[in-house]
Amino acid sequence: MKPQGYIPASASPSAHEGADLYIRNVVKVAALLAATLVTSILILALFFRHLEKLHPNRSSEAAPVVTESELPPLPRLQTNPLHDLQAVRAVENLHLDRYAWIDQGHGVAQIPIDRAMVLWTKSYPATPQPASPTAPTTNAAPVVTELQMRQQKAQEVPHAP
């Protein structure tokens, strides 16, 4: 049995390929690429000449360079963010750590934040802590287990005579 696609050597005039690469095709592709390149350059040159005729006052000089001494318009990027943050925090701390009148007629004043926290903790009692499971509380409801609930229900149901 012969494998599929088998061609006997006697059917072919030569036992190898004639050529791996056809030079004629490579030359044709290279010539086509060169012609495309030259045509593109010529079209662009004609286009730029046409633009020069439309706008004759335009010069081909480079744009003027901004000197180093001129600052760009606002807003500018931060050059030293740590310094900026420290400045903002200093202003905030100034407002948080001082006494001032907000509305003297109505008796509204600003006090330092540390003093306000002390006054707040004195005026409101702390929230009660939950009782530990071993220590009984006086006003806590008694804990009833599921077994005790079943026994209470059994006692409440009237028995039929």
Side-chain angles (χ1 to χ4, degrees):
M1 186 166 156
K2 296 178 184 174
Q4 186 178 2
Y6 174 74
I7 301 173
S10 61
S12 173
S14 64
H16 61 76
E17 293 181 14
D20 290 333
L21 187 63
Y22 295 105
I23 300 298
R24 180 183 297 169
N25 291 341
V26 173
V27 171
K28 285 180 184 177
V29 169
L32 182 64
L33 285 175
T36 304
L37 180 66
V38 169
T39 306
S40 302
I41 292 172
L42 289 175
I43 289 173
L44 284 174
L46 292 173
F47 178 69
F48 281 120
R49 283 191 185 167
H50 175 68
L51 287 179
E52 286 177 357
K53 289 179 184 176
L54 286 178
H55 304 287
N57 297 339
R58 302 256 176 134
S59 64
S60 61
E61 295 176 14
V65 178
V66 178
T67 60
E68 293 287 330
S69 62
E70 295 180 25
L71 293 175
L74 293 175
R76 294 185 199 100
L77 297 177
Q78 292 178 320
T79 56
N80 190 352
L82 181 61
H83 180 266
D84 295 341
L85 179 63
Q86 290 172 345
V88 168
R89 293 256 171 98
V91 171
E92 288 175 347
N93 288 337
L94 178 70
H95 289 291
L96 291 175
D97 295 335
R98 68 179 179 144
Y99 290 92
W101 282 107
I102 302 296
D103 187 0
Q104 192 170 6
H106 290 93
V108 179
Q110 173 185 334
I111 61 174
I113 190 77
D114 294 332
R115 179 72 178 137
M117 288 191 285
V118 169
L119 291 175
W120 178 266
T121 56
K122 286 183 180 177
S123 63
Y124 292 98
T127 57
Q129 297 296 324
S132 65
T134 56
T137 57
T138 56
N139 47 349
V143 177
V144 179
T145 64
E146 185 178 348
L147 177 62
Q148 291 172 339
M149 290 173 63
R150 286 184 183 173
Q151 290 172 349
Q152 287 175 355
K153 285 184 180 180
Q155 291 172 358
E156 293 173 0
V157 175
H159 294 285

